[in-house]
Amino acid sequence: MKLFLVDDHPVVRAGIKALLDGEPDMEIVGEAANADDALRLVALREPDVVLMDLQLGDGPDGVEATRRIRELPRKPQILVLTTYETDADIVRAIDAGATGYLLKASPPDELFSAIRAAARGESVLSPKVAAKMMRRMRDPGPALTAREIEILELLSKGAGNKEIARALFITEATVKTHLNHVYGKLGVETRTAAVTAAVERGLIRL
Amino acid sequence: MKLFLVDDHPVVRAGIKALLDGEPDMEIVGEAANADDALRLVALREPDVVLMDLQLGDGPDGVEATRRIRELPRKPQILVLTTYETDADIVRAIDAGATGYLLKASPPDELFSAIRAAARGESVLSPKVAAKMMRRMRDPGPALTAREIEILELLSKGAGNKEIARALFITEATVKTHLNHVYGKLGVETRTAAVTAAVERGLIRL
DNA sequence: GCGGAGCTCAACCGATCGGTTGATGCCCGC
DNA sequence: GCGGGCATCAACCGATCGGTTGAGCTCCGC
């Protein structure tokens, strides 16, 4: 089974390689520290599974890299291996075409079986991530729409309604409508409180 | 030279061990995934240098662990090895008694020389971290007053000026004056942007 | 094809915010 | 003692925000 690593931390790449050294059925055919190298080398080496970090320092992030790799003619399975477990990250990664979502805090055994499952095209989630998704399924919760998240992200930058409207090519009236929905869903009454509530619930990242 | 690893990610621990395998003068005498284990085992194994991550999952964080280890009778040097480089993290770690501050994105060579330097008791900083501190030295930076921080904390909860005034037993006019000072110091123009700027600079915590 | 959810826009209002100027009192360091 | 930083307050203005109501549109599932 041919693996490819994408992570901007040399320490982490060395760690995965060291762990996988004891697994005879796995071979690492390449690695990259950023999205551009990843895309180029994956197309060349044609791995079965790509282990992808979401934070890649400068340039496109892991979600973007995942999206592009999934557009390759001979597309590998992509297993996200990252530190964070916010709703926004998980949803975006899955949406971009990731086969699974693992946390770096996972024990090695979990990593191995997840890689093998991903190679078979099966979806795998870290228990913590799975638990989070289960909670979200049972409790519909706020469930903000994509548009509302977009608004929140601009909001967190301190943008006024007028700026948000310009940035999203909509009118100020529409922005206010979205904001009122967001206030209702998050149970807050001001734009500032909406930002902190969204950050605390992992809906957006600062 | 005896090393001890503290990191909640098995992958990272494996990575550091793998990298250090090629360095004959370094020996890993133990590792831990949380602050409590770290404190207990470090007291027992008496390493020369502790490599400490700041994020340790549940329980006390790396800063707290650093503080406690520095209170041990035979205290080792502590080299922080983490992902983040916010001012608040750096300052808190140094304040807790860390000998150096390295980023996980550092190349292995840098890691090795940093460990050797730390063992000698020398302070080492990642170039990116050092650059950040230099900037902060040259530019004294915002330096908000205690009162202004109080205002920011209430602000982050989404409070209006009137609420802030009541909470701090001052008039709304005074709140506005403070806010205008904060805007100026942080280089922002809205209350929402002030909150995110303050969070990013580690002035307040959500 | 009907309803529901989501996105869009409009007009209006009061409340709040941001910006400005100016002022008072306090404490600290030179 | 004098300047300077800090905290406090006042009055005023325009701009923005929050709240409301109502409406048209598309897309999707039943």
Side-chain angles (χ1 to χ4, degrees):
Chain A
M1 177 180 333
K2 298 194 303 189
L3 303 184
F4 192 96
L5 310 183
V6 185
D7 198 303
D8 60 333
H9 297 161
V11 166
V12 173
R13 293 202 303 273
I16 299 174
K17 283 197 282 191
L19 289 176
L20 264 43
D21 212 30
E23 306 298 307
D25 58 334
M26 298 180 188
E27 177 200 3
I28 293 169
V29 299
E31 55 184 272
N34 61 65
D36 294 332
D37 290 352
L39 188 61
R40 195 164 37 80
L41 289 172
V42 165
L44 203 64
R45 308 284 171 81
E46 298 193 338
D48 299 301
V49 178
V50 175
L51 292 182
M52 173 75 67
D53 190 11
L54 289 186
Q55 281 71 34
L56 296 179
D58 300 332
D61 66 357
V63 171
E64 186 55 30
T66 297
R67 200 183 314 279
R68 293 191 200 164
I69 289 176
R70 292 296 292 177
E71 287 170 357
L72 290 176
R74 193 191 169 298
K75 55 191 169 196
Q77 301 294 333
I78 296 185
L79 182 58
V80 170
L81 179 64
T82 191
T83 304
Y84 305 100
E85 46 174 323
T86 64
D87 291 359
D89 285 325
I90 298 171
V91 171
R92 283 173 54 228
I94 303 288
D95 190 56
T99 307
Y101 197 105
L102 268 194
L103 298 179
K104 283 183 185 169
S106 305
D109 283 352
E110 221 170 85
L111 174 62
F112 301 150
S113 60
I115 293 175
R116 295 196 179 93
R120 293 191 297 270
E122 299 170 7
S123 291
V124 279
L125 295 179
S126 268
K128 284 187 72 169
V129 174
K132 185 181 281 277
M133 303 225 70
M134 298 293 276
R135 267 199 308 280
R136 188 146 299 277
M137 297 293 271
R138 279 201 302 274
D139 171 19
L144 297 202
T145 68
R147 199 56 159 170
E148 287 161 353
I149 299 275
E150 275 186 288
I151 303 252
L152 269 174
E153 278 166 352
L154 290 168
L155 201 59
S156 73
K157 294 186 174 64
N161 291 344
K162 200 166 295 184
E163 292 176 77
I164 297 175
R166 268 200 301 273
L168 299 182
F169 304 108
I170 57 180
T171 67
E172 209 179 328
T174 307
V175 174
K176 293 170 72 169
T177 304
H178 284 307
L179 276 180
N180 275 315
H181 290 163
V182 170
Y183 295 157
K185 290 179 180 178
L186 295 182
V188 299
E189 288 175 323
T190 69
R191 46 176 58 248
T192 307
V195 169
T196 56
V199 170
E200 281 169 354
R201 302 196 194 187
L203 297 170
I204 61 171
R205 181 183 303 281
L206 285 187
Chain B
M1 172 182 336
K2 298 193 303 187
L3 302 185
F4 191 96
L5 310 184
V6 185
D7 198 304
D8 60 333
H9 296 162
V11 167
V12 173
R13 294 201 304 271
I16 298 173
K17 282 197 282 190
L19 288 175
L20 264 43
D21 212 30
E23 305 299 307
D25 58 333
M26 298 181 187
E27 177 199 5
I28 294 169
V29 299
E31 55 184 272
N34 61 65
D36 294 333
D37 290 352
L39 188 61
R40 194 163 37 81
L41 289 173
V42 165
L44 203 64
R45 308 283 172 81
E46 298 192 340
D48 299 302
V49 178
V50 175
L51 292 182
M52 173 75 68
D53 189 12
L54 290 186
Q55 282 70 35
L56 296 179
D58 300 332
D61 66 357
V63 172
E64 186 54 34
T66 298
R67 200 183 315 277
R68 294 192 200 163
I69 289 176
R70 293 296 292 178
E71 286 170 358
L72 290 176
R74 192 190 167 298
K75 53 191 169 197
Q77 302 293 334
I78 295 184
L79 182 57
V80 170
L81 179 64
T82 191
T83 303
Y84 304 97
E85 46 174 321
T86 65
D87 291 0
D89 284 327
I90 298 171
V91 171
R92 284 173 55 227
I94 303 288
D95 190 57
T99 308
Y101 197 104
L102 268 195
L103 297 180
K104 283 182 185 169
S106 305
D109 283 352
E110 222 170 82
L111 174 62
F112 302 150
S113 61
I115 292 175
R116 295 196 180 92
R120 293 191 299 270
E122 297 170 9
S123 292
V124 279
L125 296 179
S126 269
K128 285 189 70 168
V129 174
K132 184 180 281 277
M133 305 226 68
M134 298 293 277
R135 267 199 307 280
R136 188 145 298 277
M137 298 293 272
R138 279 200 303 272
D139 169 18
L144 297 201
T145 69
R147 200 55 160 170
E148 287 161 353
I149 299 275
E150 274 187 289
I151 302 250
L152 269 173
E153 279 167 350
L154 290 168
L155 202 58
S156 73
K157 293 184 174 65
N161 291 344
K162 200 167 294 183
E163 291 176 77
I164 297 175
R166 268 200 302 272
L168 299 182
F169 305 106
I170 57 180
T171 67
E172 209 180 328
T174 307
V175 174
K176 292 171 73 170
T177 304
H178 285 307
L179 276 181
N180 276 315
H181 290 163
V182 170
Y183 295 155
K185 289 180 179 177
L186 295 181
V188 298
E189 289 176 322
T190 69
R191 51 183 26 319
T192 306
V195 170
T196 57
V199 170
E200 281 169 353
R201 302 197 194 188
L203 299 169
I204 60 172
R205 190 172 295 278
L206 285 188

